[in-house]
Amino acid sequence: MVSLSGAIRRFGLGAFAIATALSAVTQAVAVETRSLAERASSGDRLVFCHFMIGIVGDRSSSADYDADMVRAKAAGIDAFALNIGVDGYTDQQLGFAYDSANRNGMKVFISFDFNWWSPGNAVGVGQKIKQYASLPAQLLVDGRPFASSFAGDGLDVNALRSAAGSNVYFVPNFHPGQGSTSAIDGGFNWMAWPNDGNNKAPKPGASVSVADGDNSYKSWLGSKLYMAPISPWFFTHFGPEVSFSKNWVFPGGSLIFDRWNQVLQAGFSMVELITWNDYGESHYIGPLDSKHYDDGNSKWTNDMPHDGWLDLSKPFIAAYKNKDTDVSKYIQSDQLVYWYRRTLSALDCDSTDTTSGRPANNQSGNYFEGRPDGWQTMDDVVYVVSLLKSAGTVTVSSGGNTVTKNVPAGANIFTVPAGLGQQKFALTRNGASVFSDTSLMDITNVCPCGLYNFNAYVGTVPAGFSDPLEGDGLASLTIGLHVTTCQAKPSLGTNPSSPTSTTSPVSTTTSGGVSSTTMSTIPTKTTTAAPTSTVGSGQVCVAGTVANGESGNYIGLCQFSCQYGYCPPGPCTCTAYGAQIPPPPTNGRNGCPLAGESSGYLGLCSYSCNHGYCPPTACQYC
């Protein structure tokens, strides 16, 4: 019997053509994955995604959750972990989420955020689980209601179960060495990023990999199951315009691709993607247009979709569920997923950045002035993942830098030195074009909205759906900015033109592996401007009042802050939208709630006092 490869050789085809032909013959149709019922019965190969309830208080019905549920389910996510604090709208939003999940064939469970809940309130935690445990969308593992947490060490798990009235399957984010594992069913590790062991980016002599964290948890848990984290990125850049100022990065780079491959090899019992919608820390994989309120993150998330990271994850999720280490058979169509930062690290934005030379409350130890702490761990490259049914040739141009690579079928990654200008991507086979596209986001030497923006822009070829920030998601974009040319509206496709590149152009052609081409970058200082655009409505809240059911003590704060676009759901409700009204100048002073007041006053006091209105019946300067 003559083999196909032998016949191809006799016709004189080269190695790359052979690879192309073989992969085309052996490519598979979509592969069935093990059912949720089968996997949940034993807590084996479950896929969750962390969903922040605290920022979606502006949702008015369960229909507002439908698009999230449908998109997550289509990607293979089994359940949303609904992160909750103690906001007044929590129960309303949980009800909406459970209802939508049930209609759309998804599961959900509660993840208690112990930034707000107290480990001493085990009864309250158990009662909250009981309130939702019997609903049809509640995730059951081993036939038991499932729950998790962010932090919470010291919680009395037996008291929790007693209050819940059931044997809750509890997999909290407790920490190795800080208590016994006897009462829990497993442990969840939140630390999804390389770090220094102290919640910051790695430093010389202090470097902890995500795999190190895996090993620490597995050693501590023994025979108990381990829920492993997966996250693509981390960047946060809140300045003194809010009370929760913080400014640092963890190295992202190729993390999500590397981590998925690591997970397939390790075969952890459960994984949790961090996160669907935590825009403030830039690790969202859900859409920007998923309805949410803006806590100030729009300054670095506007025009920065991450939807391609969910596309990238889809075949890995399917392989993971089937206990397969080969992702290639789960790729259903050719696709390129790429990401990069919109400016190079040498760009100097000190004169206009919201944190540079501007002190803020730093009791947390998370606030740094200027470039985010850890910025040196971020490389100036374009990351490209090819998800191919058969081998092909990928060409990427980043400004003046062009790299051409022959890549095999399956999931593969390579990098291209980042250059100022347009970012172009193309796939060919045997000299014929399969697809090509130019990213909507140029790399420029303009500080976007005056900021150091270390968030990632993620795109795909073929291009994905339009995903602009909308409505409440843009409400706080201009608050605290030190430029006046930045508007609270989407502007993709209207990037400022790039000046002559200050990077040395390169052009390489490689087969397999990551290109070793290097690039020199000339540090530059530029005059900061920000793009303007006519795309989108640009409307923000221009009038508001206290929300129904909330204390009348909020009314002055809500009326003041809502007129300038800051109208937090829960305590306030917006009554009119229009063009942004410039707020009074900041006075450099931070406001805090009076002792004994609820957390609903945090943002309102911080914003209002900072702009000269600090009512003594609710707030104080701090």
Side-chain angles (χ1 to χ4, degrees):
M1 186 176 193
V2 179
S3 70
L4 176 62
S5 58
I8 292 174
R9 289 190 189 95
R10 283 202 298 273
F11 282 101
L13 299 181
F16 181 66
I18 294 172
T20 302
L22 286 173
S23 59
V25 170
T26 59
Q27 65 185 12
V29 296
V31 180
E32 290 288 330
T33 57
R34 298 162 62 218
S35 71
L36 174 59
E38 176 188 350
R39 291 176 288 111
S41 65
S42 57
D44 182 40
R45 301 300 179 105
L46 297 172
V47 181
F48 309 137
C49 189
H50 210 76
F51 187 104
M52 308 299 292
I53 290 292
I55 64 167
V56 298
D58 58 342
R59 299 191 177 196
S60 58
S61 74
S62 63
D64 287 336
Y65 286 85
D66 287 350
D68 296 309
M69 298 294 175
V70 169
R71 181 159 171 77
K73 181 178 175 64
I77 294 170
D78 294 313
F80 276 132
L82 303 175
N83 175 292
I84 64 167
V86 293
D87 301 293
Y89 49 80
T90 295
D91 280 322
Q92 180 189 56
Q93 296 302 325
L94 283 177
F96 290 161
Y98 271 80
D99 183 51
S100 175
N102 183 46
R103 286 201 317 276
N104 291 289
M106 272 283 283
K107 296 296 181 183
V108 291
F109 60 89
I110 299 175
S111 178
F112 293 86
D113 191 328
F114 282 91
N115 279 325
W116 306 105
W117 288 81
S118 168
N121 188 20
V123 171
V125 172
Q127 290 173 339
K128 187 62 67 179
I129 294 172
K130 182 178 182 178
Q131 186 176 344
Y132 295 91
S134 62
L135 295 181
Q138 170 65 48
L139 175 71
L140 303 179
V141 174
D142 190 26
R144 300 152 55 194
F146 188 90
S148 185
S149 76
F150 174 78
D153 295 284
L155 182 73
D156 186 335
V157 179
N158 291 324
L160 176 158
R161 290 195 175 107
S162 178
S166 63
N167 187 17
V168 176
Y169 202 110
F170 196 46
V171 183
N173 172 224
F174 292 175
H175 296 82
Q178 294 192 25
S180 170
T181 64
S182 60
I184 60 176
D185 295 283
F188 169 42
N189 174 15
W190 178 265
M191 189 52 68
W193 312 272
N195 62 90
D196 66 352
N198 193 33
N199 201 39
K200 297 297 179 294
K203 298 173 177 59
S207 182
V208 180
S209 70
V210 185
D212 290 336
D214 294 335
N215 293 333
S216 176
Y217 266 85
K218 290 170 67 179
S219 175
W220 175 61
L221 289 166
S223 61
K224 300 290 179 76
L225 67 81
Y226 171 54
M227 184 155 71
I230 303 172
S231 191
W233 207 259
F234 188 106
F235 163 66
T236 188
H237 198 65
F238 291 102
E241 72 277 3
V242 297
S243 60
F244 44 91
S245 308
K246 54 184 182 178
N247 180 27
W248 88 95
V249 300
F250 289 121
S254 60
L255 178 61
I256 188 169
F257 181 84
D258 298 338
R259 182 60 172 163
W260 266 121
N261 280 287
Q262 197 173 60
V263 163
L264 294 189
Q265 295 297 323
F268 303 120
S269 298
M270 301 176 178
V271 295
E272 186 164 311
L273 288 152
I274 303 173
T275 60
W276 186 261
N277 64 339
D278 193 335
Y279 306 99
E281 294 183 347
S282 305
H283 41 63
Y284 52 97
I285 62 171
L288 290 172
D289 68 5
S290 176
K291 192 173 184 181
H292 66 279
Y293 197 79
D294 180 17
D295 58 5
N297 67 74
S298 60
K299 294 175 179 63
W300 56 90
T301 59
N302 188 32
D303 294 335
M304 304 291 273
H306 288 180
D307 306 297
W309 278 333
L310 185 62
D311 293 352
L312 182 157
S313 297
K314 183 175 181 178
F316 284 94
I317 290 172
Y320 167 78
K321 288 180 177 180
N322 276 359
K323 300 186 176 184
D324 202 337
T325 58
D326 178 12
V327 73
S328 62
K329 70 185 72 169
Y330 303 93
I331 296 171
Q332 298 180 17
S333 60
D334 292 330
Q335 187 179 35
L336 302 179
V337 181
Y338 59 84
W339 61 95
Y340 53 87
R341 300 193 327 275
R342 62 190 296 177
T343 59
L344 303 181
S345 57
L347 182 63
D348 186 342
C349 303
D350 279 355
S351 64
T352 53
D353 184 74
T354 53
T355 69
S356 184
R358 296 176 169 89
N361 186 327
N362 195 25
Q363 291 181 348
S364 67
N366 293 328
Y367 183 68
F368 301 85
E369 296 181 22
R371 289 182 178 87
D373 181 72
W375 68 272
Q376 302 93 332
T377 64
M378 308 288 273
D379 295 325
D380 286 337
V381 299
V382 178
Y383 299 89
V384 185
V385 168
S386 56
L387 302 172
L388 301 185
K389 296 283 286 180
S390 59
T393 299
V394 177
T395 300
V396 178
S397 295
S398 177
N401 306 322
T402 298
V403 171
T404 298
K405 291 181 66 67
N406 295 327
V407 294
N412 297 277
I413 190 169
F414 65 96
T415 61
V416 178
L420 296 177
Q422 292 186 325
Q423 312 298 304
K424 299 181 178 183
F425 307 85
L427 171 68
T428 61
R429 286 197 177 96
N430 301 320
S433 174
V434 178
F435 53 60
S436 64
D437 202 6
T438 299
S439 172
L440 293 176
M441 178 63 69
D442 296 349
I443 296 179
T444 77
N445 68 350
V446 173
C447 301
C449 290
L451 303 180
Y452 287 115
N453 189 342
F454 278 72
N455 192 8
Y457 177 85
V458 185
T460 62
V461 187
F465 58 93
S466 177
D467 183 23
L469 270 178
E470 297 176 335
D472 289 344
L474 290 161
S476 300
L477 190 148
T478 60
I479 296 172
L481 291 183
H482 299 283
V483 297
T484 59
T485 51
C486 194
Q487 300 182 45
K489 57 179 65 176
S491 61
L492 270 183
T494 62
N495 296 303
S497 59
S498 299
T500 303
S501 173
T502 56
T503 57
S504 303
V506 298
S507 180
T508 63
T509 302
T510 59
S511 295
V514 175
S515 171
S516 61
T517 307
T518 60
M519 172 185 69
S520 60
T521 302
I522 304 170
T524 60
K525 182 166 182 130
T526 66
T527 300
T528 302
T532 60
S533 171
T534 58
V535 180
S537 68
Q539 289 196 331
V540 300
C541 187
V542 294
T545 188
V546 63
N548 290 337
E550 296 291 341
S551 169
N553 200 35
Y554 281 116
I555 190 166
L557 288 165
C558 290
Q559 288 176 343
F560 176 82
S561 62
C562 290
Q563 67 182 315
Y564 301 119
Y566 180 70
C567 199
C572 306
T573 184
C574 186
T575 58
Y577 289 86
Q580 174 75 53
I581 300 173
T586 63
N587 56 22
R589 304 177 68 187
N590 194 38
C592 297
L594 293 180
E597 295 290 6
S598 74
S599 61
Y601 286 90
L602 285 169
L604 285 167
C605 288
S606 174
Y607 175 80
S608 297
C609 293
N610 186 247
H611 288 280
Y613 176 68
C614 202
T617 57
C619 309
Q620 60 188 337
Y621 285 109
C622 55

